[in-house]
């Protein structure tokens, strides 16, 4: 059976996107302003995050990509305090919180932050 290997987002400004995802805890190797595709460093077997420029995706698909209006992926935090800390750090850096941290009825501390291109990333931890 196939397994999930990567999640992709597009960007109109690679530097801003890399800075955003670094604040979420991703580590990037060497990359340059001219790169149209970057991926954070991950261990073997971990799901990869792929960031492509909108121009590159338009070449592949023939249409300009548009971010979804719902969460594209979720980041599991160690505990509820980490959800709050990351959400606060992202908000203080000027990123929009589309869902402020709250104790969701399904048993998670939950928040959503928006990346520079409008992708919404869920942050969660079990209560």
């Amino acid at each position: 059976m196939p397994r999930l290997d990567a999640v992709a987002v597009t960007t109109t400004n690679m530097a801003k996107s890399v800075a955003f995802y670094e604040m979420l805890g991703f580590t990037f190797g060497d990359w340059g302003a001219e790169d149209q595709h970057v991926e954070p460093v991950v261990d073997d077997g971990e799901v990869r995050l792929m960031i492509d420029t909108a121009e590159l995706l338009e070449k592949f698909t023939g249409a300009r990509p548009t971010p979804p209006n719902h969460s594209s992926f979720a980041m599991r935090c160690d505990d509820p305090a980490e959800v709050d800390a990351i959400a606060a750090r992202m908000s203080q850096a000027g990123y929009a919180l589309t869902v402020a941290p709250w104790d969701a009825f399904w048993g998670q501390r939950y928040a959503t932050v928006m990346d520079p291109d409008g992708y919404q990333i869920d942050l969660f931890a079990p209560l």
Side-chain angles (χ1 to χ4, degrees):
M1 180 173 138
R3 63 181 174 82
L4 181 63
D5 180 71
V7 173
V9 297
T10 58
T11 183
T12 56
N13 185 314
M14 189 64 80
K16 284 183 178 180
S17 289
V18 168
F20 173 87
Y21 288 102
E22 284 178 333
M23 284 194 76
L24 280 178
F26 289 95
T27 302
F28 291 82
D30 293 335
W31 67 277
E34 71 287 345
D35 290 340
Q36 293 189 309
H37 174 92
V38 300
E39 295 183 24
V41 177
V42 296
D43 292 331
D44 287 341
E46 288 184 337
V47 175
R48 297 174 299 132
L49 171 64
M50 302 184 304
I51 306 173
D52 295 302
T53 63
E55 294 80 14
L56 180 63
L57 262 288
E58 187 172 3
K59 287 178 191 175
F60 291 160
T61 66
R64 186 90 173 160
T66 56
N69 64 357
H70 58 84
S71 296
S72 52
F73 62 92
M75 307 274 302
R76 183 182 179 126
C77 299
D78 289 333
D79 54 46
E82 186 177 22
V83 172
D84 292 350
I86 292 172
R89 184 174 70 233
M90 301 303 284
S91 179
Q92 290 167 357
Y95 298 109
L97 289 180
T98 55
V99 176
W102 68 294
D103 291 340
F105 62 87
W106 54 86
Q108 295 175 339
R109 185 70 173 167
Y110 181 89
T112 304
V113 63
M114 187 179 298
D115 87 355
D117 287 278
Y119 289 96
Q120 297 186 59
I121 314 306
D122 291 340
L123 306 170
F124 75 95
L127 289 173

